[in-house]
Amino acid sequence: MSSRLNPYISFRDNARQALEFYRDVFGGTLTLNTFGEFGQPDVPHADRIMHGMLETSSGYTIMAADTPPEMEYSPGTNISVSLSGDSGDELRGYWEKLSEGGTVAVPLEKQMWGDEFGYCTDRFGISWMVNIS
């Protein structure tokens, strides 16, 4: 396998729901492992996600986990996920699903540089940039 770069998103108690939502948006195969499965069966958060990974047929990989209660958590302030390419229908479909129930800061429309671009925050507090060339 070659090197790859992908987002790893931290959540507080809703990584499972977020990754299932992203699977509904992008399709793909979702693997979820809990703290209990990874050797911590007696902690109060044993059923929370220690590591989750979504791999899609488009080549996207999103990794995520629940932040344990003893660790600091600052949702959405340090990450934006960028989706870009020339497959307009595919990217517009992702945009519609990601922005539903979230907040649109920049509507997906033609921009001064000639591409369609939009910026939204999904219902889990994650910022998404979509650029269609």
Side-chain angles (χ1 to χ4, degrees):
M1 178 173 89
S2 61
S3 297
R4 64 181 170 187
L5 175 69
N6 58 269
Y8 201 115
I9 307 170
S10 296
F11 293 93
R12 177 72 84 194
D13 301 333
N14 62 351
R16 178 184 304 274
Q17 293 89 346
L19 284 167
E20 289 171 348
F21 169 69
Y22 298 140
R23 181 190 56 205
D24 290 345
V25 171
F26 300 111
T29 303
L30 179 59
T31 305
L32 299 171
N33 300 104
T34 65
F35 285 91
E37 293 169 332
F38 275 12
Q40 298 180 337
D42 299 325
V43 297
H45 55 278
D47 64 333
R48 301 293 188 240
I49 302 303
M50 185 173 192
H51 177 71
M53 183 168 65
L54 175 65
E55 294 184 287
T56 74
S57 60
S58 295
Y60 302 149
T61 300
I62 300 173
M63 295 181 184
D66 284 311
T67 304
E70 65 274 8
M71 293 177 66
E72 183 180 338
Y73 174 67
S74 298
T77 60
N78 61 345
I79 185 172
S80 292
V81 182
S82 174
L83 296 173
S84 58
D86 58 9
S87 180
D89 290 341
E90 179 181 31
L91 291 166
R92 283 184 206 94
Y94 296 153
W95 170 264
E96 289 302 317
K97 292 176 184 177
L98 289 165
S99 61
E100 183 178 334
T103 304
V104 174
V106 177
L108 182 63
E109 57 190 20
K110 191 164 184 122
Q111 301 296 323
M112 63 183 150
W113 59 89
D115 294 352
E116 286 181 63
F117 175 83
Y119 183 81
C120 71
T121 302
D122 71 23
R123 62 185 176 197
F124 294 99
I126 302 302
S127 298
W128 294 84
M129 297 179 285
V130 175
N131 192 87
I132 304 169
S133 55

